Structures are given as structure tokens and as C-alpha cells.
């Protein structure tokens, strides 16, 4: 599948809007795109045509070699992420192969990253919504949060804040995930996987 190299990339951090959810495990996608926005010197603004906040800029080397990116935080709640992401895809004319979902992943240990293209949703409501809206052929940067302890229901676990022990390393892991997104966009999936899939 050939894709216009000059087409922008759409990096969608998945999460739930509002201060009550800000520190939740489910919101790690928002944390990663917040850091990317900081790196490119942008601040999120509400988009006129989509239920999302966006920052436009470039990632990679300065000048024309840098890749155009749209960083997005859907403001629709996690299980409806597909609507805003599809609206942004259409508005910015982004090929599906240039869409990256950054999200929490239960089946990976805390802080471990896995980058992939396509695949199932593994019960993740944000991915389920995106795949229903546009098919599965977008990139994923999966940020491991591990399984809930004991018999804690998954829904409770993902909507809790990271533990104090986890928070000691959270900034480092979010930083690494942001590096992985940049590598994916500028160097391609295989190189980014080789560097960051642990």
C-alpha cells in the first residue's frame, strides 16, 4: 500500500475528557500526546469540525524534512473515539496508514511498549470504536498497564489513577512512548519496533 509521504500523520491519544479522569491508567494516551505537544511547542485547541482538541506541527528534523503531524485528543469519551478520529482524518486528508492510536494495554506489563499496524481491539473500547469507524489498518502504540490485582474488575482498574509506585516511573515511560511515536512517524514501523518493542 503506497502512501503519499507528504501526507500528514494523525496521532490520536486515547482517553476520557475532564479533570476527574486525567490521572487514570486509561488516559495514558492523553499523557503521551500532551508531552508531544509540549515538545513541538503547541497547545491544544478545540477543533471546529470534530469533537476533539488538536495541535498541528512538525516532528523530526527541522525544516521540510520534518513530518507534518496533527496531535489529537478525542473529547467524546473513550468508547466513542472513532467519531472524532474519523472526522479529523477526513478534515486533514490523512491516509489510514498515517493514523496512530496511543492507548493503554492490559495484556502487557506496566511501562512496556508494543508498536504494531492493524490487528484486533483486544477488548479496548477506544480501539473498538476506531476500528468500527475506519477499519483496523491504523498503527497502534500500546502502553502496558498490566492486569488488575486480585479480583478487581478491569473497568475499575483502568479508571483508577496509577499507583504511587507506578507514578515514580510514569514520566520516564511516557517520555519513552513519545520517543516511540516520533520514531514511528520519522523512521517507519520496523525501525521503531526494533528500538522500542521490549
Amino acid at each position: 500500500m503506497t502512501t503519499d509521504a507528504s501526507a500528514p500523520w494523525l496521532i490520536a491519544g486515547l482517553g476520557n475528557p475532564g479533570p476527574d479522569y486525567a490521572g487514570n491508567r486509561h488516559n495514558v494516551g492523553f499523557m503521551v500526546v500532551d508531552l508531544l505537544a509540549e515538545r513541538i511547542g503547541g497547545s491544544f485547541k478545540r477543533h471546529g469540525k470534530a469533537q476533539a482538541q488538536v495541535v498541528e506541527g512538525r516532528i523530526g528534523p527541522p525544516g521540510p524534512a520534518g513530518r507534518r503531524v496533527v496531535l489529537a485528543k478525542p473529547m467524546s469519551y473513550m468508547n466513542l473515539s472513532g467519531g472524532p478520529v474519523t472526522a479529523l482524518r477526513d478534515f486533514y486528508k490523512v491516509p489510514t496508514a498515517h493514523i496512530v492510536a496511543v492507548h493503554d494495554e492490559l495484556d502487557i506489563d506496566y511501562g512496556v511498549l508494543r508498536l504494531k499496524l492493524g490487528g484486533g481491539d483486544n477488548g479496548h473500547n477506544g480501539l473498538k470504536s476506531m476500528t468500527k469507524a475506519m477499519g483496523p489498518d491504523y498503527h497502534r502504540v500500546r502502553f502496558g498497564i498490566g492486569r488488575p490485582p486480585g479480583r478487581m474488575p478491569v473497568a475499575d482498574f483502568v479508571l483508577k489513577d496509577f499507583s504511587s509506585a507506578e507514578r515514580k516511573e510514569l514520566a520516564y515511560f511516557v517520555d519513552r512512548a513519545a520517543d516511540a511515536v516520533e520514531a514511528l512517524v520519522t523512521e517507519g514501523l520496523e525501525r521503531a519496533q526494533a528500538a522500542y518493542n521490549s
Side-chain angles (χ1 to χ4, degrees), residues 22-152:
N24 289 180
R25 293 182 176 92
H26 225 16
N27 270 43
V28 75
F30 276 18
M31 297 174 196
V32 174
V33 292
D34 279 340
L35 179 58
L36 287 165
E38 208 178 289
R39 288 182 180 183
I40 64 176
S43 53
F44 280 94
K45 293 178 180 58
R46 191 163 281 288
H47 192 272
K49 302 277 189 217
Q51 198 181 355
Q53 292 185 351
V54 298
V55 173
E56 297 176 48
R58 286 187 180 272
I59 280 178
R67 300 265 190 256
R68 279 174 60 214
V69 294
V70 179
L71 306 173
K73 295 194 286 190
M75 291 285 119
S76 57
Y77 290 97
M78 180 67 89
N79 57 352
L80 299 172
S81 301
V85 175
T86 306
L88 292 171
R89 175 197 69 181
D90 296 346
F91 181 85
Y92 290 104
K93 299 180 172 47
V94 178
T96 305
H98 275 202
I99 295 173
V100 183
V102 186
H103 64 92
D104 57 309
E105 178 63 64
L106 286 158
D107 285 338
I108 304 174
D109 289 341
Y110 174 59
V112 172
L113 295 176
R114 293 265 194 286
L115 284 70
K116 62 185 269 197
L117 173 62
D121 57 55
N122 210 17
H124 191 288
N125 288 331
L127 297 182
K128 205 174 283 185
S129 176
M130 282 182 61
T131 297
K132 189 176 175 191
M134 66 178 90
D137 299 327
Y138 53 91
H139 288 88
R140 298 99 191 278
V141 173
R142 305 155 74 204
F143 186 111
I145 60 169
R147 301 294 303 183
R151 295 174 177 227
M152 185 190 289

